Amino acid sequence: MLVIGVAGTELNAVERQWLQHDAVAGVILFARNFASRQQVAELTAAIRAASPRPVLVAVDQEGGRVQRFRDGYSLLPPLQELADNFAADPGGSLARVREHAWLMASEIRATGLDLSFAPVADLGHGNLAIGNRAFHADPAVVSQCLAAYVAGMHEAGMPATLKHFPGHGTVREDTHVAIARDDRSLEQLRAHDLVPFAAGIAAGADAVMMAHVVYPQVDPAPAGCSARWINQVLREELGFRGVVVSDDIGMAASFQAGGVAARVHAHLDAGCDLVLVCHPELVESALDAVQGRALNTAAVAALLGRGALGWAGLLADSRYPGAQSLLFETPGRTV
């Protein structure tokens, strides 16, 4: 099933038709879809009204440079800042991590969306795409931070998504614009990059997003197109029973699989439950590609948010100013 992108701050007639398609499981929103809190809440409501079935509405609201909704939302620090002082104050760092997760998730749920694709489980080794989106370079530190982050998201009624499996942080290349290869063995990856994912799964993460990185000693295909990575390592070895999501098939590294239809089929055939088609110009081709395929409707149900209070309820929650006080020098700080 597909999670698609739409072009602007309101649905157009073609996009409403897309949402009628049985294969459209959801919509992912970006900065191009955001003008204000009220507007994005109205857009989310319109997306749900246009679909004949429950539909997932998602965003990337990690904090730092990857924060799609800004005006009226807390200015979230990047994950790396939360763990900078971990060695000196692990308890304080983990408290900040948990409140960051709760605050982020609570604001997104209050707007009517189901989830933000978070947290990043990659290690902080200077990857051009990841950078300070990663908590830390030490797998043990990242593992503890992930457990706290998953807990905070769950407390806000939001499913948690670990990304980008099996680890995007140790290669240099940015898969948005280039092919990335990691030549380490599976044994080396098990001892390093896979450690945080195992911890996040043990903490109850609901979804895992795959990387477009190629690990040639394990499989010649990118991880998101690899049944070995998804079925053998992620599901059988690590015991993950949740939803597997592709990264965006509009990214340059995904082109290795071929055209749009080939990319969609490669991810679904490998075991992905949901395929991200973030660029609206690719949606028609992706919909054509999935005609006649069996659909995994259970994948959507597992990622729908729970118990949103709306903004009035969130602002009345005593945890809200408390979380901001813990994270920001000036409580109530927004972009």
Side-chain angles (χ1 to χ4, degrees), residues 59-78:
V59 68
D60 290 317
Q61 190 84 344
E62 300 171 11
R65 60 190 170 89
V66 181
Q67 179 168 344
R68 311 305 189 194
F69 302 165
R70 291 181 175 268
D71 185 23
Y73 292 78
S74 298
L75 179 59
L76 298 165

Side-chain angles (χ1 to χ4, degrees), residues 157-211:
M158 179 179 286
T161 303
L162 308 177
K163 62 186 188 185
H164 307 80
F165 187 82
H168 195 324
T170 306
V171 294
R172 180 66 175 164
E173 295 81 8
D174 179 351
T175 51
H176 292 86
V177 296
I179 292 173
R181 291 169 54 93
D182 189 327
D183 289 316
R184 289 175 297 163
S185 68
L186 181 55
E187 290 69 27
Q188 290 173 305
L189 290 161
R190 283 190 183 113
H192 199 61
D193 294 61
L194 288 180
V195 171
F197 286 95
I201 291 167
D206 308 270
V208 168
M209 182 181 290
M210 303 300 296

Side-chain angles (χ1 to χ4, degrees), residues 201 205-206 231 234-244 273 302:
I201 291 167
D206 308 270
N231 295 325
L234 178 59
R235 294 209 181 275
E236 295 178 14
E237 181 177 325
L238 297 184
F240 181 62
R241 297 292 178 263
V243 180
V244 178
D273 301 299

Side-chain angles (χ1 to χ4, degrees), residues 162-306:
L162 308 177
K163 62 186 188 185
H164 307 80
F165 187 82
H168 195 324
T170 306
V171 294
R172 180 66 175 164
E173 295 81 8
D174 179 351
T175 51
H176 292 86
V177 296
I179 292 173
R181 291 169 54 93
D182 189 327
D183 289 316
R184 289 175 297 163
S185 68
L186 181 55
E187 290 69 27
Q188 290 173 305
L189 290 161
R190 283 190 183 113
H192 199 61
D193 294 61
L194 288 180
V195 171
F197 286 95
I201 291 167
D206 308 270
V208 168
M209 182 181 290
M210 303 300 296
H212 286 316
V213 179
V214 176
Y215 306 82
Q217 291 202 48
V218 181
D219 194 311
C225 302
S226 166
R228 184 173 186 197
W229 274 119
I230 295 172
N231 295 325
Q232 294 183 21
V233 180
L234 178 59
R235 294 209 181 275
E236 295 178 14
E237 181 177 325
L238 297 184
F240 181 62
R241 297 292 178 263
V243 180
V244 178
V245 187
S246 82
D247 208 343
D248 176 24
I249 64 165
M251 294 165 60
S254 74
F255 298 175
Q256 298 167 88
V260 173
R263 290 173 232 164
V264 171
H265 287 302
H267 284 90
L268 293 174
D269 290 345
C272 288
D273 301 299
L274 299 174
V275 175
L276 293 183
V277 189
C278 299
H279 297 265
E281 63 270 22
L282 304 183
V283 173
E284 292 281 1
S285 296
L287 289 174
D288 289 343
V290 296
Q291 293 288 353
R293 284 198 73 118
L295 304 178
N296 183 1
T297 55
V300 176
L303 295 185
L304 296 176
R306 302 173 297 278

Side-chain angles (χ1 to χ4, degrees), residues 124-179:
H125 289 303
N127 175 267
L128 294 173
I130 303 302
N132 65 3
R133 297 166 64 192
F135 284 111
H136 205 275
D138 185 337
V141 173
V142 177
S143 295
Q144 293 180 70
C145 289
L146 287 176
Y149 209 93
V150 169
M153 291 181 72
H154 284 173
E155 288 162 2
M158 179 179 286
T161 303
L162 308 177
K163 62 186 188 185
H164 307 80
F165 187 82
H168 195 324
T170 306
V171 294
R172 180 66 175 164
E173 295 81 8
D174 179 351
T175 51
H176 292 86
V177 296
I179 292 173

